[in-house]
Amino acid sequence: MKAAVLVAAVLLLAGPAAWAQTDDAAPMSWFGELLSYVAEPFLLEGALLAVKIAALAMLGGVVLGLGLALMRLSRLRPVRVLAWVYIWFVRGTPQLLQLVFIYDALPGIGIKLDTFTTAVIGFALNEAAFSAEIIRGGILSVNRNQSLAATAFGMGPYLTLRRIILPQAMRAILPGMANDTISMIKGTSIASVIFVNELTFRSQQIVGQNFKFFVVFAAAGVIYLVMTSAVAGAQGLLEQRFNLEHERTASRSPFGRMFSFGLLSPTPPAPAAVAPPATPPGEIPDWLGALAGNFAAPAGEDAKPFVVCYNVQKSYGAREVLRGIDLTVKRGEVVVVMGPSGSGKSTLLRLVNHLERLDWGEITVDGKHVGYAKSGAALKPVRNLAKARADARIGMVFQHFNLFDHLSAIENVIETPVHVYRRNPAEARALGMRLLESVGLGKHADSLPHRLSGGQQQRVAIARALAISPRLMLFDEPTSALDPELVGEVLTVMRRLAEAGMTMLVVTHEVRFAREVADRVIFMDEGQIIEQGRPDEVLANPQQERTKRFLRMVEREALAEAS
């Protein structure tokens, strides 16, 4: 409809000028002549050729641009510099000269291409430089915590890029890409310098015979307008498809799936939400029993330590974050780590799951290094680090939830089981629904994260971590974003995890949480363990003055919040 309105406006504006150039006294005769040229097969064939060149060049340019964008984001300086030099050179030189150079230079080295192929290659190489910066900007617009969460659950770089980063980056990428596509369609007229017989070139041929400049070129303009309007329409559909403000249902039309380019895979419809049956006190609910087999101790290994940290050291530049941490966590033990901000608590959790590299020391989970291999006395990261994290089956719940913003609650829960562990989607969804029901969110299974409260998002994050059947759970401030009335629900879930044999390492400032759930409390300050023991020892009768000051401060903050 919009395209029709635009074409009509162009015709109305152009009419008087065209009429003035014709000898025909009939005011509407020029419209008929204009429309006859718009429908002229000779011009339409040229338009089709322009579309082919633009489509193939955009496809090649976007693929090359994605590679250049990733090179620009590489940690290797030579790779970044190489990509930057290419982009600098191509963006800084006229496209006309690039086409002429390719057309004239390649035959000199024995490579002979037809004009169509030359145009496609020339436009693609030019578009790659511009696409690279558009894609890079889109990737940088996605919160880094999104890739951190994907990495923590064993997603590799390619899977993270395809499933998590690009779908969210598309909102920023689409406007620039649509502009480039429109410019490409119009810019194909430049290819006439190497004798590509596209729309503008054919218009010039007709004008050279009948000298009706305005009518013929106005017809070409209308054809260009129709083609570019189609691109604008596709842009609108794609922007709506990737707009996080719109709720998405599990069932999608084939048209919608086609425009997602495989970045978002359809999921089976969610079953009707049914309240889980009440679990008698002391019994493990069925959904938790389905997970328990993965973290139960093998026969005869109950007494062995499950997590061992020996002389762990970590620095960021000149700042020492961890200074010789020694820690042992038994299988099935719940250990709460407390301490002031900046004491290294969260860094310790990230080192356990190899989200950060150790500077010194070693960490083992169930007797194995996560993502490291022994090379003499030294530890070296393995090549397939994502697989090592997945094999370790460590579930992680982050302080700021870090849910995947473009996926619904149920899709967040089943993303890792389906795409990392290759679990049957229907089975994963059934377990995911039970997990969401267990945390009171069965009715919100199809809600996007931004539609949920902070407490609801954290409960989805816990369900997501449990969906991989973890053997170890890491919690980074799990109750910090929860309303007071919701803390009890989370504590109940975690208590049941402990009863089922889950090993948990929990960073929190919640004293009540530590008192009710923990088997052991560790207090850290300035990268060191200052004090540790049973909750009644550390919380009720701390021995270190630093621990006493911290607990008094936490108590004052709790009283202030209560009042």
Side-chain angles (χ1 to χ4, degrees):
M1 184 64 183
K2 292 180 180 179
V5 173
L6 289 173
V7 171
V10 170
L11 294 177
L12 290 173
L13 292 173
W19 187 24
Q21 292 187 11
T22 181
D23 296 332
D24 199 327
M28 296 301 294
S29 64
W30 77 274
F31 280 108
E33 187 175 14
L34 179 65
L35 293 176
S36 69
Y37 280 115
V38 170
E40 170 62 44
F42 185 68
L43 291 182
L44 293 179
E45 288 175 5
L48 180 61
L49 185 63
V51 170
K52 289 180 179 178
I53 293 174
L56 292 173
M58 281 300 299
L59 178 62
V62 169
V63 172
L64 291 174
L66 177 60
L68 287 169
L70 297 179
M71 290 173 67
R72 288 271 279 142
L73 296 170
S74 172
R75 295 179 180 179
L76 301 176
R77 181 177 174 81
V79 174
R80 295 198 307 270
V81 171
L82 181 63
W84 180 87
V85 169
Y86 178 88
I87 293 170
W88 164 77
F89 177 79
V90 171
R91 291 198 304 181
T93 55
Q95 190 170 10
L96 177 65
L97 295 182
Q98 295 169 15
L99 276 176
V100 172
F101 178 80
I102 294 173
Y103 185 70
D104 291 335
L106 292 182
I109 58 175
I111 301 176
K112 296 182 179 180
L113 302 173
D114 59 81
T115 55
F116 176 83
T117 305
T118 301
V120 170
I121 292 175
F123 281 110
L125 293 177
N126 183 271
E127 175 58 29
F130 293 90
S131 292
E133 293 301 276
I134 294 173
I135 295 172
R136 185 173 71 94
I139 292 174
L140 291 175
S141 71
V142 178
N143 193 315
R144 183 180 177 276
N145 287 335
Q146 296 286 292
S147 58
L148 178 66
T151 300
F153 287 98
M155 289 190 179
Y158 170 73
L159 184 61
T160 300
L161 180 69
R162 183 174 67 88
R163 295 290 307 174
I164 306 302
I165 303 302
L166 283 182
Q168 297 183 54
M170 289 300 289
R171 289 188 68 185
I173 291 174
L174 281 172
M177 283 299 185
N179 283 342
D180 273 9
T181 304
I182 291 172
S183 297
M184 178 81 72
I185 291 174
K186 296 187 298 182
T188 53
S189 59
I190 299 176
S192 61
V193 300
I194 57 173
F195 310 109
V196 175
N197 203 13
E198 47 70 59
L199 176 58
T200 302
F201 191 70
R202 292 183 180 221
S203 300
Q204 293 171 344
Q205 291 175 316
I206 294 176
V207 169
Q209 295 176 0
N210 60 18
F211 300 102
K212 294 184 177 181
F213 294 92
F214 194 90
V215 176
V216 175
F217 284 122
V222 170
I223 296 173
Y224 274 119
L225 188 60
V226 170
M227 293 188 294
T228 55
S229 296
V231 175
Q235 176 190 352
L237 291 174
L238 285 169
E239 287 184 350
Q240 184 176 6
R241 177 67 188 82
F242 290 99
N243 188 355
L244 299 184
E245 299 301 320
H246 293 295
E247 293 294 340
R248 294 185 294 104
T249 58
S251 59
R252 306 189 187 104
S253 66
F255 187 72
R257 289 197 295 271
M258 177 183 70
F259 273 95
S260 68
F261 298 111
L263 296 177
L264 297 175
S265 301
T267 53
V274 179
T279 303
E283 291 189 16
I284 298 175
D286 60 350
W287 63 267
L288 186 52
L291 306 178
N294 289 283
F295 49 82
E301 296 188 9
D302 291 0
K304 290 185 178 180
F306 191 71
V307 180
V308 177
C309 302
Y310 172 71
N311 195 24
V312 173
Q313 300 179 34
K314 179 66 180 178
S315 298
Y316 296 106
R319 186 169 68 92
E320 287 185 294
V321 180
L322 296 176
R323 300 186 292 170
I325 295 292
D326 292 319
L327 174 64
T328 299
V329 180
K330 298 177 183 178
R331 190 183 299 273
E333 188 178 19
V334 179
V335 176
V336 166
V337 183
M338 306 185 73
S341 298
S343 59
K345 309 183 300 297
S346 296
T347 300
L348 178 61
L349 292 192
R350 294 187 181 191
L351 290 174
V352 170
N353 202 14
H354 199 154
L355 297 178
E356 303 276 359
R357 284 192 181 186
L358 283 165
D359 290 343
W360 193 257
E362 62 180 313
I363 298 175
T364 59
V365 178
D366 198 15
K368 299 176 183 178
H369 298 96
V370 180
Y372 291 100
K374 278 268 189 180
S375 178
L379 291 176
K380 292 187 176 180
V382 298
R383 180 168 298 179
N384 195 343
L385 184 53
K387 184 178 184 300
R389 292 194 189 98
D391 291 343
R393 285 192 179 269
I394 300 175
M396 192 162 187
V397 178
F398 297 88
Q399 179 178 3
H400 298 293
F401 325 134
N402 294 359
L403 296 179
F404 304 133
D405 292 336
H406 64 299
L407 300 180
S408 66
I410 186 62
E411 288 171 335
N412 263 277
V413 173
I414 70 174
E415 179 71 15
T416 303
V418 171
H419 294 282
V420 175
Y421 296 99
R422 301 299 178 184
R423 188 164 183 174
N424 180 277
E427 294 178 0
R429 191 177 192 94
L431 176 60
M433 286 302 298
R434 291 203 301 272
L435 290 171
L436 288 176
E437 292 286 356
S438 72
V439 294
L441 293 174
K443 295 181 179 179
H444 298 278
D446 291 319
S447 297
L448 290 170
H450 75 276
R451 299 293 187 188
L452 303 175
S453 68
Q456 290 172 329
Q457 290 188 55
Q458 188 65 298
R459 284 182 281 162
V460 173
I462 293 175
R464 178 179 66 174
L466 292 175
I468 69 170
S469 300
R471 296 182 296 171
L472 169 67
M473 285 285 287
L474 306 177
F475 291 86
D476 189 357
E477 298 282 1
T479 60
S480 62
L482 298 179
D483 297 330
E485 62 269 19
L486 298 177
V487 173
E489 296 180 8
V490 176
L491 291 177
T492 299
V493 174
M494 297 181 71
R495 186 178 294 108
R496 287 179 173 174
L497 285 172
E499 292 170 354
M502 175 67 75
T503 309
M504 293 188 284
L505 192 56
V506 185
V507 170
T508 183
H509 288 170
E510 179 65 55
V511 174
R512 189 185 71 170
F513 179 96
R515 184 178 293 114
E516 295 180 0
V517 179
D519 297 308
R520 184 155 47 108
V521 173
I522 291 173
F523 182 79
M524 290 181 61
D525 188 35
E526 296 183 354
Q528 294 180 310
I529 294 177
I530 303 300
E531 188 169 358
Q532 62 178 307
R534 297 193 313 270
D536 58 335
E537 295 174 343
V538 176
L539 300 178
N541 188 28
Q543 301 300 306
Q544 301 297 323
E545 182 59 32
R546 184 66 185 90
T547 311
K548 294 177 182 178
R549 292 203 309 270
F550 175 79
L551 292 175
R552 286 196 296 267
M553 179 190 68
V554 171
E555 185 178 358
R556 286 196 300 269
E557 291 178 353
L559 290 173
E561 290 180 1
S563 61

